[in-house]
Amino acid sequence: MSNAVIQLGPDRIRELMAHYAGSKIERNAPGVVFAAKSGGVSITAYKSGKVLFQGGGAETEASRWGGNSSTSAKKPSAPKGEKLPSGLARMSVLGSDETGTGDFFGPVTVAACYVPAEKIALAEELGVKDSKMLTDAHMLKIGPEIKETFENSVLVLPNEKYNNVQAKGWSQGKIKALLHNQALKHVLRKLDGTKPDLILIDQFAERGIYYRHIASEPEIIRENVLFSTKAENLHVSVACASILARVAFLEEMDRLSEKAGVPLPKGAGKPVDEAAARILLKKGDDFLASITKRHFANTRKAAALASKRSGRS
């Protein structure tokens, strides 16, 4: 079993706890403030700020949170053909990324964006960088400029459809792989024969697993495709895609908040349970299902809260 340990500040610890709240497990051990198990990876956060990731995808999962890290297992060598070329940052690249997978409310959104070498400086001038380093307000501001400047595709998977395919046994990995492939396909069609030097996907699954997820698709993008974690730091195209995906998610959250009549909190923590319980009491279970990821533990927690409140009324 591979392990990865990172050191996070209090704010990032709270974000991590909210993100994995739907997968929370009980772990009564000295110094433990939070524990969860997600996608085969066990996550344990300690009072010291250290977070331990254990399991086959430990290093990949830990890398999503940054921080100072160390590993107890030697970092595996990149799969054949996965070595990133030198000078990647200045190449013409089609990048893709996603967001919304850890949020109870709102959709999964995936974006792909092509940034040719001659426009890299322009993207940097717009202030494009890893979306984790930008505020939502700033992304909402520069998102339209990115969409206007670069060829892109943004896909929003409505909660109703997400719940439908998830109930059929589709994992989040399969859902994301299908959306990434579709977004990349859309941009390549818009490029009308122009070929990127590379296609770079922000890695959420190993290459073999990714392609098994989409094996039945009639058109699969394979040529010059590379996978890497923290890809938004490797090329500005992935950073652009990350921002576009986040903006689409934020816009949909605003729309759903208006529909629900209450602001919808992000993540999957206690504020989400509270909001979901209020919505459940006000608008019913079918409505709540239409704006959430039904399989999250928040569904059960909200129902319990709503039951207690209705019992007191």
Side-chain angles (χ1 to χ4, degrees), residues 11-23 34 65 102-104 266-272 296 298:
D11 289 343
R12 289 292 278 163
I13 288 287
R14 283 191 287 272
E15 289 180 24
L16 179 141
M17 291 169 67
H19 180 79
Y20 295 113
S23 305
F34 178 80
W65 295 95
D103 297 90
F104 180 56
K266 303 176 186 69
K270 189 173 181 180
V272 170
F296 276 35
N298 303 89

Side-chain angles (χ1 to χ4, degrees), residues 5 12 100 235 265:
V5 179
R12 289 292 278 163
H235 197 277

Side-chain angles (χ1 to χ4, degrees), residues 226-282:
L226 293 177
F227 299 82
S228 179
T229 58
K230 298 186 178 179
E232 64 274 11
N233 294 322
L234 298 175
H235 197 277
V236 73
S237 64
V238 183
C240 284
S242 177
I243 291 167
L244 292 178
R246 181 65 176 176
V247 168
F249 173 78
L250 293 172
E251 291 175 343
E252 183 65 7
M253 283 289 277
D254 285 344
R255 188 187 72 80
L256 293 176
S257 292
E258 185 174 347
K259 184 178 178 183
V262 296
L264 300 180
K266 303 176 186 69
K270 189 173 181 180
V272 170
D273 298 334
E274 296 284 346
R278 290 196 300 273
I279 293 168
L280 183 58
L281 288 169
K282 183 179 178 181

Side-chain angles (χ1 to χ4, degrees), residues 185-205:
K185 182 172 60 178
H186 288 172
V187 177
L188 288 172
R189 285 177 179 167
K190 290 178 182 180
L191 293 178
D192 194 27
T194 298
K195 286 193 174 184
D197 295 328
L198 291 171
I199 295 173
L200 182 59
I201 298 175
D202 190 54
Q203 186 169 351
F204 56 88

Side-chain angles (χ1 to χ4, degrees), residues 33-226:
V33 295
F34 178 80
K37 188 164 186 179
S38 176
V41 178
S42 296
I43 303 102
T44 308
Y46 296 88
K47 291 179 181 177
S48 64
K50 284 187 170 62
V51 183
L52 170 64
F53 296 79
Q54 297 173 290
E59 195 166 341
T60 298
E61 195 68 23
S63 69
R64 296 182 178 276
W65 295 95
N68 298 319
S69 64
S70 61
T71 58
S72 59
K74 184 177 179 182
K75 184 177 180 180
S77 58
K80 184 177 181 181
E82 212 71 0
K83 186 176 179 180
L84 301 174
S86 60
L88 168 63
R90 311 317 293 179
M91 292 181 176
S92 298
V93 174
L94 169 56
S96 64
D97 201 358
E98 85 285 329
T99 195
T101 56
D103 297 90
F104 180 56
F105 289 112
V108 172
T109 59
V110 173
C113 187
Y114 175 63
V115 179
E118 65 271 17
K119 287 189 175 182
I120 290 174
L122 176 56
E124 293 169 345
E125 184 67 24
L126 290 175
V128 173
K129 59 179 71 174
D130 176 5
S131 64
K132 298 182 190 69
M133 300 170 63
L134 300 174
T135 65
D136 287 347
H138 186 68
M139 286 187 280
L140 287 166
K141 180 180 177 181
I142 67 174
E145 296 180 82
I146 294 171
K147 290 194 80 168
E148 186 176 338
T149 306
F150 306 105
E151 293 289 2
N152 67 86
S153 174
V154 180
L155 304 178
V156 177
L157 182 66
N159 290 98
E160 295 96 331
K161 189 167 184 179
Y162 174 95
N163 290 329
N164 182 44
V165 297
Q166 194 279 329
K168 292 179 180 178
W170 290 22
S171 66
Q172 276 201 351
K174 180 178 181 66
I175 291 168
K176 289 189 287 186
L178 288 165
L179 290 171
H180 274 262
N181 186 67
Q182 187 176 354
L184 294 170
K185 182 172 60 178
H186 288 172
V187 177
L188 288 172
R189 285 177 179 167
K190 290 178 182 180
L191 293 178
D192 194 27
T194 298
K195 286 193 174 184
D197 295 328
L198 291 171
I199 295 173
L200 182 59
I201 298 175
D202 190 54
Q203 186 169 351
F204 56 88
E206 297 296 330
R207 173 182 289 271
I209 295 172
Y210 174 89
Y211 281 112
R212 280 201 294 276
H213 283 320
I214 60 175
S216 62
E217 288 296 284
E219 183 179 353
I220 297 174
I221 306 304
R222 295 180 182 274
E223 186 177 358
N224 293 329
V225 174
L226 293 177

